[in-house]
Amino acid sequence: MTFVRAVTLILIGCFICTAHAWVDTDFDGVPDKKDACNDTPANSVVMANGCIDTELLIVDEDAEDDAEFDDAELGATVTNNSALIAEQCRQQRDVSVAVDCFGSILQPVYFDFDKSVVLLTQRPTLVRVQQYIEQHPQVAIRLEGHTDNIGSDAVNRSLSLKRAATIKDLLVNEYQFQPTSIEIVGMSNKNPVADNATIEGRQRNRRVEFIISAE
């Protein structure tokens, strides 16, 4: 009886610890214990650390215009008007104009340190790409994988290529993209977009960028 009670208490303790580990106060898909910004607005597209990439924010000069797109545009960030712009990009008939337009608002997919697994918080970016390609199926995509500066060049080159390959696999297997229209390349840590001397900078550098062009 004592043994059964002890086992029961252990199981309950494990359940409580697991539940606590996945508390997500701001519902952005990043558990609080990993979330560096646990008060982001609802429906925000965040980086792997739970923060919005402020370098990609677009100033919302007319918030009222966003309403009709917020519900339909999965992953729309309510702190900017990127949902509205994404919809406008998709409606462009000129492919070259649409490519330039969409490229201006599409954020990279971000990764945890030394990982190539795509987090749920990054899926809205893939949804936006899918919605765009449905309107312009003739475009080509180059996926550029990047890392921070921790580790050797050989390790980072392999990791950056693996990140790009993971995104390609998702686009092909879950979003019905044609594999022949997607190129992947690993850039290692050669093209940082932020200072690798800071935690925030390294987070922004662990990414896969979408380079979309008209064929």
Side-chain angles (χ1 to χ4, degrees):
M1 186 68 178
T2 302
F3 174 76
V4 173
R5 181 178 301 173
V7 171
T8 301
L9 290 175
I10 291 172
L11 292 175
I12 292 174
C14 290
F15 175 78
I16 292 173
C17 290
T18 301
H20 178 72
W22 286 101
V23 171
D24 182 9
T25 303
D26 55 4
F27 301 102
D28 61 0
V30 180
D32 285 357
K33 72 172 188 176
K34 293 177 58 179
D35 200 335
C37 303
N38 60 8
D39 58 352
T40 51
N43 300 319
S44 294
V45 178
V46 298
M47 297 186 292
N49 66 348
C51 297
I52 296 171
D53 187 348
T54 55
E55 295 295 320
L56 295 174
L57 284 180
I58 303 168
V59 177
D60 189 352
E61 297 179 349
D62 188 2
E64 294 182 358
D65 289 345
D66 291 351
E68 63 180 296
F69 299 111
D70 281 346
D71 291 335
E73 183 70 24
L74 294 178
T77 301
V78 298
T79 55
N80 61 40
N81 62 358
S82 58
L84 173 62
I85 296 176
E87 178 66 20
Q88 293 172 340
C89 293
R90 289 202 300 272
Q91 299 304 322
Q92 293 288 341
R93 294 185 178 181
D94 187 306
V95 176
S96 297
V97 174
V99 165
D100 291 340
C101 177
F102 195 68
S104 69
I105 57 93
L106 184 63
Q107 76 172 39
V109 169
Y110 296 99
F111 294 83
D112 279 336
F113 173 69
D114 198 31
K115 302 294 184 183
S116 60
V117 176
V118 177
L119 303 173
L120 290 178
T121 57
Q122 305 305 298
R123 289 299 186 111
T125 296
L126 301 182
V127 171
R128 277 190 177 166
V129 173
Q130 179 190 39
Q131 292 172 336
Y132 172 79
I133 299 301
E134 286 176 350
Q135 294 278 60
H136 303 283
Q138 66 272 50
V139 302
I141 301 176
R142 173 183 168 94
L143 299 174
E144 294 188 351
H146 301 266
T147 68
D148 57 32
N149 67 344
I150 299 177
S152 69
D153 181 62
V155 169
N156 283 332
R157 187 168 297 279
S158 175
L159 177 59
S160 62
L161 183 61
K162 188 175 182 180
R163 286 172 173 169
T166 298
I167 297 297
K168 179 177 180 177
D169 288 344
L170 283 174
L171 292 177
V172 171
N173 296 321
E174 296 189 26
Y175 295 90
Q176 290 74 55
F177 280 65
Q178 293 299 318
T180 54
S181 67
I182 304 175
E183 174 190 5
I184 62 172
V185 61
M187 305 296 288
S188 186
N189 59 3
K190 304 305 182 185
N191 295 93
V193 293
D195 188 356
N196 274 307
T198 67
I199 294 175
E200 294 79 7
R202 291 193 295 274
Q203 171 63 80
R204 291 188 57 221
N205 289 331
R206 299 192 291 265
R207 70 199 191 279
V208 167
E209 293 185 344
F210 298 81
I211 311 299
I212 301 176
S213 58
E215 292 186 331

